[in-house]
């Protein structure tokens, strides 16, 4: 400290230096900052290299005036509206589909590059659907000024599947998901916690309907109790009995991998896990596979951690993977009946890589583009 200077002077000088450095950097809006994904996004923005100037926090009018912390600074939430989007260079949208459908094009028209986490634009041919480890190049071509972030179930497996595809050539995917309740937002988490309280310390789970009666009205966004249960349903009903979530896995895997004819069957199941989706994946390839080569590929793939030693009890579980960034892969086996097929088990935090982290990675690549000399 210089002679005569106080700690307060130093703090003010440091703040002024930070403000001046930030003024040259892109302005970021986080739309949906108060939600399940938004909350994790604020954590991630506080942990990663800081490439942003102003970070503006936006949510519904219900949350206007609330204070949230990002990069260690308290920031007031503003209500979504034209004014909240003025002067924004990159806007992350983590809001329901209808809100994104309405406001993302407005943000883009005002000059922002939008990275959208909803399903509103994922299948639009003029909107790239991006997973940086798999198809980073796609984010540079965005005719509508919007880049879409895939659905959390697809994202939780696609980094590992994409790495195997690059070597073996994927021809078919048959997957079953074990999806965490936070995939249904804060309402899903609140419902599971309330249901767990209702069944804790009881002998429930031995008679038909006993869990359902104990849970009563606390079903939340799920069609059946999720505590002490598994629910073979996620999303809304689509044609021929498929759920919207199952069709998203199919359509989005095809688009991200650039394989429009890929054969995909998914069964999406909700399980009593707070956060981290798991998938059992049966992947068939053009070429014969070996577990040894698959292990090598997965061990070297960016964003993937191989955890595959069942003899030592080592395989990924949601309770161990939650809060981490990578896609965890274990239980890698070659099909006993098909030398071109692998079976594997994958876990990925649906709020981090499954949503907020992927959004942050895409947004950072756009920021680098905007600030490139
Ligand atoms: N959860 C996941 O694993 C996951 C993964 C990938 C993608 N996504 C997608 O990400 C989006 C957000 O999901 P979430 O799970 O974070 O949902 P959530 O917990 O329900 O949060 C929704 C967010 O949207 C805001 N919002 C709602 N109505 C609004 C309005 N009229 N104007 C402005 N803001 C509004 C909410 O603000 P208030 O708090 O003010 O209401 C809140 O910040 C959804 O499209 C979802 O499908 C979720």
């Amino acid at each position: 400290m210089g002679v005569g200077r106080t700690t307060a002077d130093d703090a003010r000088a440091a703040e002024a230096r930070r403000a001046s450095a930030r003024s040259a950097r892109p302005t970021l809006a986080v739309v949906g900052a108060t939600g399940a994904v938004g909350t994790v996004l604020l954590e991630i923005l506080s942990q990663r290299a800081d490439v942003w100037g102003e970070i503006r926090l936006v949510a519904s009018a219900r949350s206007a005036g609330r204070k949230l912390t990002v990069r260690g600074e308290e920031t007031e939430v503003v209500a979504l509206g034209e004014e909240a989007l003025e002067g924004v260079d990159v806007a992350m949208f983590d809001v329901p589909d209808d809100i994104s459908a309405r406001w993302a094009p407005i943000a883009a028209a005002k000059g922002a590059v939008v990275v959208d986490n909803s399903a509103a634009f994922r299948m639009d041919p003029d909107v790239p659907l991006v997973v940086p480890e798999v198809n980073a190049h796609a984010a540079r071509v965005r005719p509508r000024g919007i880049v879409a972030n895939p659905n959390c179930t697809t994202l939780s497996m696609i980094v590992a599947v994409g790495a195997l595809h690059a070597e073996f050539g994927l021809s078919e995917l048959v997957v079953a998901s074990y999806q965490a309740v936070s995939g249904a937002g804060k309402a899903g988490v609140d419902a599971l916690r309330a249901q767990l309280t209702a069944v804790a310390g009881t002998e429930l789970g031995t008679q038909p309907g006993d869990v359902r009666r104990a849970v009563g009205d606390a079903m939340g966004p799920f069609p059946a109790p999720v505590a002490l249960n598994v629910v073979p349903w996620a999303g809304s009903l689509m044609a021929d009995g498929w759920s919207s979530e199952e069709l998203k896995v199919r359509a989005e895997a095809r688009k991200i991998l650039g394989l429009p004819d890929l054969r995909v069957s998914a069964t999406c199941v909700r399980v009593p896990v707070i956060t981290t989706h798991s998938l059992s994946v049966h992947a068939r390839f053009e070429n014969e596979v070996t577990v040894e080569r698959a292990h090598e590929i997965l061990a070297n793939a960016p964003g993937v951690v191989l955890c595959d030693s069942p003899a030592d009890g080592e395989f990924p579980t949601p309770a161990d993977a939650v809060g981490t960034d990578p896609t965890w892969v274990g239980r890698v086996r070659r099909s006993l009946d098909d030398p071109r097929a692998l079976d594997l088990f994958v876990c990925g935090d649906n709020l981090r890589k499954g949503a907020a982290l992927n959004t942050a990675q895409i947004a950072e690549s756009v920021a680098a583009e905007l600030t490139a000399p």
Side-chain angles (χ1 to χ4, degrees), residues 179-181 184 187-188 191-192 195 211-213 215-227 229-237 243-246 268-271:
Q179 294 182 220
V181 295
L192 176 57
Q195 293 179 16
V211 173
R212 199 178 273 272
R213 279 191 295 279
V215 163
D217 292 338
M219 211 77 98
F222 308 118
V226 68
N229 210 6
V230 295
V231 183
W233 192 256
S236 52
L237 180 62
S243 75
S244 54
E245 191 86 350
E246 290 158 354
C268 289
V269 181
R270 193 75 66 182
V271 295

Side-chain angles (χ1 to χ4, degrees), residues 239-251:
D240 301 321
W242 293 98
S243 75
S244 54
E245 191 86 350
E246 290 158 354
L247 297 187
K248 281 180 195 171
V249 170
R250 177 170 182 261

Side-chain angles (χ1 to χ4, degrees), residues 66-101:
R66 257 183 79 183
K67 294 217 169 69
L68 300 175
T69 301
V70 61
R71 297 185 297 197
E73 293 162 20
E74 270 207 339
T75 308
E76 192 165 310
V77 175
V78 297
L80 179 58
E82 301 258 351
E83 202 183 321
L85 301 171
E86 293 302 340
V88 170
D89 299 299
V90 178
M92 298 169 169
F93 272 68
D94 299 291
V95 291
D97 296 353
D98 57 326
I99 309 297
S100 275

Side-chain angles (χ1 to χ4, degrees), residues 130-157:
V130 176
V131 181
E133 294 85 346
V134 182
N135 64 343
H137 58 278
R140 290 185 160 259
V141 184
R142 31 177 199 263
R144 297 191 63 181
I146 301 172
V147 180
N149 200 63
N151 163 272
C152 47
T153 314
T154 313
L155 256 177
S156 298
M157 68 160 177

Side-chain angles (χ1 to χ4, degrees), residues 31-38 58-64 66 80 93-97 99-100 103 117-119 122 149-152 182-187 248 277 350-351 354-355:
V31 184
T34 53
V37 176
V58 186
S60 78
R62 294 179 290 276
S63 302
R66 257 183 79 183
L80 179 58
F93 272 68
D94 299 291
V95 291
D97 296 353
I99 309 297
S100 275
W103 285 97
N117 226 322
S118 81
R122 290 183 190 139
N149 200 63
N151 163 272
C152 47
S182 62
K186 275 165 77 170
K248 281 180 195 171
H277 288 352
N350 52 295
L351 297 176

Side-chain angles (χ1 to χ4, degrees), residues 251-329:
E252 293 180 21
R254 287 174 158 194
K255 183 167 175 178
I256 296 160
L257 296 172
L259 296 172
D261 301 319
L262 182 68
R263 293 152 63 100
V264 184
S265 281
T267 301
C268 289
V269 181
R270 193 75 66 182
V271 295
V273 166
I274 297 290
T275 294
T276 292
H277 288 352
S278 307
L279 291 102
S280 159
V281 178
H282 176 84
R284 187 164 201 275
F285 299 93
E286 304 291 348
N287 301 302
E288 286 204 8
V289 295
T290 63
V291 169
E292 293 67 31
R293 185 66 192 126
H295 272 175
E296 269 173 29
I297 294 165
L298 293 166
N300 290 308
V304 175
V305 174
L306 180 68
C307 173
D308 194 10
S309 182
D312 305 312
E314 282 185 13
F315 31 69
T317 73
D320 296 318
V322 64
T324 68
D325 287 346
T327 301
W328 296 77
V329 186

